[in-house]
Amino acid sequence: MYFSNRTFKIKLSDFLSKLFDLFRGVPQGSILAPLLFSLFYNGVGSSLLTAFYGLFADDLSFYLFNSNLEELVSSLSKVLESLYKWCADKDLVINFAKTKFMIISKKHLNTSVPQLICNDNNIEYVSEFKYLGVIFDSTLAFDSHFHHVCKRVSAAVGCLMFIKRFLNLRVFKVLLNSFILSIIDYGLPIWGQLSNSQLNVLQSKVNSILGAYFYPQICNKFERVNRIAHNCEKRKYKSVNLDFNELYEKCNILTVSERLQYFCAIFAFKSIRFNFLPEISQNFVFGKSSRHQNLIVPTHKTSFFQKSVIYHSILIWNALDTEAKQPNVSLSKFKTFVNQALLRQRTDEFVSV
């Protein structure tokens, strides 16, 4: 009876349509809707043959591995056909206009990619694709996503610049974390394995709002000097030298590089202790010494794997104190250990300089 005799209307501005019968779907906004949809849709994995897949609500992605391009596209076609039949049996429709496929490789493809067709629908081939807020490219360099993050951070910094004079420290910290650092943090372990110069670009944007808030007169003066130097002499004056470590402590924040290490450490902890994804957790294998709780560093022949979140997470885990890696340590306690280790590392680097 819960699904029977359901109707709906379409409202557009002041226009309200007549009643239409609802033949599929669940009532919008109902408490049972997410659960019922999950029960109905979770069996989609059985149609994907041997492909690995990921689900986020009704957003499905799957991936296959093969060194031969033609065989890879052929396997993708078989999986798509199987998925299409499963959807037809469930009275579901695949939106082929939004369906894309991408070839991920260590090298740029020199040959043309074969067409991928499902039920007479041509699936578009793309070299990069935005999935769940992260722009993936064919070489997993994440350059496009880095530039996307830089633009969003710059826009957020610009907005905060306009209102900074009206904010007390508590509100400034909340806005800094909510509108700037949250952009950087999203998916950081995935795309953040960048060069130090790229991470420094992001850090400089964070530093600019910190300097402008705590030392507005000094920063405004040097900004004017740099603007004059750029327009008249085509060269930059040396930037203002502030103790940003002090500002990080005032705002209780980590640097971009430290945030990357922090989230990689959390990723390692969850992969080891919770085992949510066996395909990922199987990469975290402990060595023979149970005392130090160190992980075995996987061997690799290229720098491709060396840039992965798994490799960096293992290195960061091994660098932590033994006390933080004990099996009885909770997640909240582990976060405290990691945060303390990063702050000690910052102090040691400052003293060594």
Side-chain angles (χ1 to χ4, degrees), residues 292 316-326 334 337 341 344:
H292 296 94
I316 293 170
W317 173 275
N318 290 345
L320 294 173
D321 294 336
T322 305
E323 184 182 5
K325 297 181 285 189
Q326 295 304 312
F334 180 78
F337 280 129
R344 285 198 307 269

Side-chain angles (χ1 to χ4, degrees), residues 45-209:
S46 61
S47 68
L48 299 177
L49 306 180
T50 59
F52 294 94
Y53 70 95
L55 274 175
F56 186 83
D58 63 338
D59 203 338
L60 170 66
S61 66
F62 62 89
Y63 42 98
L64 295 166
F65 303 91
N66 201 314
S67 58
N68 187 293
L69 185 58
E70 292 186 357
E71 292 180 3
L72 178 62
V73 175
S74 176
S75 299
L76 284 173
S77 179
K78 292 178 182 179
V79 174
L80 270 177
E81 291 293 342
S82 176
L83 176 63
Y84 180 82
K85 292 178 182 178
W86 185 89
C87 289
D89 292 340
K90 295 286 186 179
D91 198 23
L92 295 174
V93 179
I94 298 177
N95 189 342
F96 288 104
K98 293 184 178 180
T99 305
K100 317 289 181 185
F101 82 102
M102 183 171 66
I103 307 297
I104 297 177
S105 174
K106 291 182 290 185
K107 301 178 180 178
H108 292 282
L109 297 176
N110 297 323
T111 59
S112 59
V113 178
Q115 281 190 330
L116 179 60
I117 299 175
C118 178
N119 195 41
D120 298 327
N121 292 280
N122 186 30
I123 310 301
E124 182 184 0
Y125 167 74
V126 294
S127 58
E128 60 181 39
F129 184 74
K130 188 175 184 179
Y131 182 66
L132 299 181
V134 178
I135 302 175
F136 291 85
D137 55 75
S138 57
T139 58
L140 296 183
F142 295 104
D143 289 331
S144 296
H145 186 76
F146 168 73
H147 294 301
H148 174 69
V149 170
C150 286
K151 289 180 180 179
R152 291 188 61 197
V153 170
S154 296
V157 168
C159 292
L160 203 52
M161 286 287 191
F162 281 110
I163 61 173
K164 67 180 188 302
R165 69 185 69 180
F166 308 109
L167 307 176
N168 58 35
L169 181 57
R170 183 184 66 83
V171 176
F172 174 76
K173 288 164 62 175
V174 171
L175 295 179
L176 177 66
N177 282 281
S178 302
F179 292 102
I180 297 178
L181 296 179
S182 62
I183 298 173
I184 299 174
D185 290 346
Y186 184 77
L188 184 58
I190 297 174
W191 62 268
Q193 314 301 334
L194 306 168
S195 63
N196 290 332
S197 59
Q198 288 175 303
L199 293 179
N200 289 337
V201 169
L202 283 174
Q203 189 61 58
S204 66
K205 297 181 184 297
V206 177
N207 290 350
S208 65
I209 186 61

Side-chain angles (χ1 to χ4, degrees), residues 9-21:
K9 292 182 178 180
I10 299 174
K11 184 177 181 180
L12 182 62
S13 298
D14 297 330
F15 170 76
L16 188 64
S17 72
K18 66 178 183 179
L19 284 173
F20 294 91
D21 293 325

